[in-house]
Amino acid sequence: MSVNAGSAVPAVFPTLRTPRGPLPQDAPAWNPQRPSAMPHHRYLPAHERVELPRSGHDWASRRIERAPLWVPVDLRDGNQALAEPMDTPRKRRMFDLMVAMGFKEIEIGYPSSSQTDFGFVRHLAEAAAVPDDVTVVVFTAARADLIDQTFAAIEGLPRVVVHLYTATAPVWRDVVLGRDRAEVVALIDEAAARMARLAEARPWGDIRFQFSPEVFNATEPGFVLEICDGLTKLWDACPDRPVTHNLPATVEIATPNVYADQIEFMHRNLDRRDAVILSVHPHNDRGTGVACAELALLAGAQRVEGCLFGNGERTGNVDLVTLALNLYSQGVNPMIDLSDIDVIRETVEWCNRLPVHPRHPYGGELVYTAFSGTHQDAISKGLAHHTRQARLAAERGLAPGEAPWAVPYLPIDPADVGRTYEAVIRVNSQSGKGGVAHLLWSHYGLDLPEGLRADLSRAVQETTDATGREVTPADLWELFRDVYLAPGLKGPVALGSWSTAGTADGGHRFAGDLRVADGERRCEGTGEAPVAAFTAALAAAGISVEVLRHGGHASPEQTGAPAVAYAECRVGGVTRWGAGQDVSVPAACVRAVLAAVNRASAPCPPPVR
């Protein structure tokens, strides 16, 4: 039974059973989990399925300090996983995107699998669409007619890798191929020899070879080594014309460290190692494709095949965008351009007709967005700190975009991948004062005092709890205006014409028309500052006000006045915040005090929208 978002939640779960088995004997008191009745015994762990190499785990002490050769396989492996495979226009748009991003080796298809794939390879050849520094890869099974068709497809392409694959794992040998080890080796060698002859007949072409022992990670390591070394010799690989041995985790069966051990075994033992490009092709069946690729690089891999945003069979191929930006976040140049992540994502979505999840690492619509109040507060403070550091860096001649990045919850600067800071903080019922204050500052230039931030966040919380909806910056501004600014313009106590002037002793005098419940009266007061003079005038009119704190600043044009001020006041034992806008900060402070007085005199709950 599936439940779509927005549909009714089922009242019962008749297919689920709470585990009732006995507690494991070694279970600690703090862990009351009981064994499920699900038949886990049907599945063998990796070490019981296949021999695993004994490794010294040298990879565990290494660091990735340079990007591998990235090879996107969206046009072949990713394409075969689509419910609606790409046609030539979509494939061409994807290919052009990859070229623009800087990929230098691109798998373009399986030309013997369909007329569409064959036609696209011919399209690239006949349109001379492959740049001089880009090598294309074509895929073929180990069958004579398919190899011949593959070579027919690549006529006219200047630089090509012909990629041969055969499944080598015991289950595939027994169930799919019906061949023993010797027969599988013979099948591969015969196909490889045919490829060599066809390449020799085309001396004008730059043709290299690649081999993938499909399901490498579930194959005996010594058997894979035997096959790969045989092909290195048969194809007479050398450093100037290397062979690519691509070792796929076709279906993930173990933790990433096991895959790393398998790759390290091959890295250490391959013949003519300097004539071999060691490549990996992780899938994501266990959700660890990215980890497998990264550990494989530590173990000696030099090349990674994957897809943009991880499209592929079952749970997908490894995601090249995530891998590249993981390196970037560690200060390593990714060697491809990801500076406009939204264009990349939108293109891939159009070509694949599949959405990229909004929480997808680095590229998802919401990955740089925080709703949580504590996260928002940390991000807001981090961005403010970064702005100050960037100014200091600029004084030393460093461009703003080159300043070191260290902002909580943001592993990279969103601006580096073409995102703005507009959506970094968004407000809903989970948000707090930091997020609310950040949005009003970044969109309206309001630098709210700490106490007012907390007060406003309570008003926002009432709104979001009541509606269940996100509030936009415009909503926040409207709420702030209605709750804190409007009472200074209308309410039980109102100001008509008024003025302030300096006194001979350096103080200030306030004089104005005050409208209260029993009519309008002229009131005056003196004090050290305009606000003190105004409160004295209010006191003369019978309104006792204690200003606990106040202050203001210039405000941007979009708020409608040159200055904005905030005041926290105690009136008759009731403490309220108010805000004001006017031609100057002192005048705005008067409005803020008046707003606080009116809120204390006739408090109105914030409107729920």
Side-chain angles (χ1 to χ4, degrees), residues 66-72 74 97-106 134 304 306-309 319-328 332-341 344 416-417:
R66 61 181 298 174
L69 176 64
W70 306 114
V71 183
D74 302 73
L97 170 69
M98 293 168 179
V99 170
M101 292 173 67
F103 289 106
K104 299 305 179 185
E105 194 167 309
I106 303 170
V134 172
V304 177
C307 288
L308 301 179
F309 301 108
D319 175 12
L320 297 187
V321 172
T322 298
L323 281 170
L325 286 172
N326 280 356
L327 288 184
Y328 183 75
V332 176
N333 193 311
M335 307 300 284
I336 51 175
D337 186 358
L338 295 153
S339 61
D340 197 336
I341 200 74
I344 296 169
D416 288 351
V417 289

Side-chain angles (χ1 to χ4, degrees), residues 231-534:
L231 292 176
T232 301
K233 182 178 180 181
L234 189 154
W235 284 329
D236 195 20
C238 63
D240 292 335
R241 191 172 174 272
V243 63
T244 298
H245 287 314
N246 184 56
L247 308 176
T250 308
V251 180
E252 283 197 306
I253 64 167
T255 50
N257 61 297
V258 172
Y259 188 54
D261 286 346
Q262 292 171 319
I263 298 301
E264 190 166 77
F265 171 83
M266 297 295 290
H267 170 61
R268 288 175 174 176
N269 294 288
L270 280 166
D271 284 347
R272 304 194 199 182
R273 183 63 186 87
D274 61 349
V276 173
I277 301 169
L278 186 56
S279 175
V280 292
H281 180 113
H283 278 252
N284 200 44
D285 301 87
R286 293 167 54 91
T288 58
V290 167
C292 278
E294 291 181 329
L295 268 60
L297 292 175
L298 293 172
Q302 302 154 290
R303 178 183 184 270
V304 177
E305 293 186 350
C307 288
L308 301 179
F309 301 108
N311 175 49
E313 303 101 329
R314 304 176 308 282
T315 58
N317 291 286
V318 71
D319 175 12
L320 297 187
V321 172
T322 298
L323 281 170
L325 286 172
N326 280 356
L327 288 184
Y328 183 75
S329 73
Q330 300 301 302
V332 176
N333 193 311
M335 307 300 284
I336 51 175
D337 186 358
L338 295 153
S339 61
D340 197 336
I341 200 74
D342 289 336
V343 165
I344 296 169
R345 187 190 73 243
E346 289 160 8
T347 302
V348 171
E349 288 178 327
W350 183 83
C351 293
N352 287 342
R353 288 176 266 211
L354 287 175
V356 172
H357 194 282
R359 293 291 183 187
H360 196 98
Y362 300 109
E365 185 181 355
L366 294 177
V367 294
Y368 304 105
T369 300
F371 291 101
S372 161
T374 54
H375 292 195
Q376 292 174 341
D377 185 60
I379 291 171
S380 179
K381 290 174 180 174
L383 289 174
H385 176 76
H386 176 72
T387 299
R388 292 191 295 271
Q389 296 300 111
R391 290 197 192 104
L392 294 175
E395 293 173 4
R396 299 193 303 269
L398 197 64
E402 298 292 323
W405 181 257
V407 175
Y409 297 110
L410 294 176
I412 66 170
D413 185 347
D416 288 351
V417 289
R419 292 285 181 85
T420 67
Y421 299 125
E422 291 288 315
V424 167
I425 289 177
R426 289 163 57 176
V427 171
N428 63 14
S429 62
Q430 303 300 305
S431 305
K433 61 182 180 181
V436 171
H438 176 84
L439 290 182
L440 286 175
W441 165 251
S442 60
H443 289 267
Y444 295 98
L446 300 181
D447 188 9
L448 304 184
E450 186 67 27
L452 180 53
R453 295 181 185 192
D455 196 70
L456 175 58
S457 71
R458 287 190 287 271
V460 173
Q461 188 77 39
E462 290 182 29
T463 298
T464 54
D465 280 343
T467 64
R469 293 187 287 109
E470 178 185 350
V471 294
T472 66
D475 294 333
L476 290 175
W477 164 249
E478 186 177 348
L479 189 64
F480 175 82
R481 183 191 62 199
D482 292 349
V483 174
Y484 298 98
L485 287 171
L489 301 174
K490 56 183 178 180
V493 181
L495 269 176
S497 61
W498 61 277
S499 63
T500 62
T503 61
D505 60 358
H508 287 266
R509 177 181 298 279
F510 176 94
D513 298 323
L514 195 67
R515 291 193 295 273
V516 292
D518 57 353
E520 183 173 313
R521 68 187 69 175
R522 188 73 176 172
C523 60
E524 296 184 1
T526 59
E528 294 181 355
V531 166
F534 177 51

Side-chain angles (χ1 to χ4, degrees), residues 81-216:
L82 297 175
E84 297 179 69
M86 289 180 271
D87 55 17
T88 292
R90 289 179 192 271
K91 282 194 166 199
R92 178 59 190 270
R93 187 169 179 183
M94 182 77 86
F95 178 80
D96 290 343
L97 170 69
M98 293 168 179
V99 170
M101 292 173 67
F103 289 106
K104 299 305 179 185
E105 194 167 309
I106 303 170
E107 191 169 70
I108 59 173
Y110 190 168
S112 62
S113 67
S114 69
Q115 185 55 46
T116 301
D117 266 33
F118 186 94
F120 179 66
V121 176
R122 294 308 309 144
H123 162 77
L124 292 182
E126 292 163 5
V130 181
D132 291 341
D133 61 347
V134 172
T135 299
V136 296
V137 183
V138 289
F139 193 70
T140 182
R143 215 174 78 189
D145 59 325
L146 303 182
I147 292 169
D148 291 348
Q149 191 170 359
T150 300
F151 273 81
I154 65 174
E155 286 291 342
L157 287 169
R159 287 157 307 284
V160 183
V161 172
V162 180
H163 180 181
L164 173 69
Y165 82 98
T166 300
T168 56
V171 173
W172 274 254
R173 295 196 307 261
D174 298 340
V175 176
V176 181
L177 300 177
R179 298 173 187 250
D180 62 21
R181 285 173 54 152
E183 289 171 325
V184 169
V185 171
L187 172 72
I188 294 169
D189 286 349
E190 182 180 343
R194 188 177 193 88
M195 288 167 53
R197 290 194 299 272
L198 290 170
E200 287 171 5
R202 293 164 171 78
W204 58 88
D206 181 1
I207 300 175
R208 293 189 290 110
F209 302 123
Q210 174 176 339
F211 174 66
S212 287
E214 190 176 3
V215 210
F216 155 78

Side-chain angles (χ1 to χ4, degrees), residues 514-575:
L514 195 67
R515 291 193 295 273
V516 292
D518 57 353
E520 183 173 313
R521 68 187 69 175
R522 188 73 176 172
C523 60
E524 296 184 1
T526 59
E528 294 181 355
V531 166
F534 177 51
T535 57
L538 289 172
I543 303 172
S544 178
V545 180
E546 180 184 0
V547 179
L548 303 177
R549 69 196 76 187
H550 72 281
H553 56 80
S555 61
E557 293 180 3
Q558 67 261 38
T559 59
V564 62
Y566 320 97
E568 184 183 26
C569 301
R570 185 179 293 121
V571 183
V574 177
T575 301

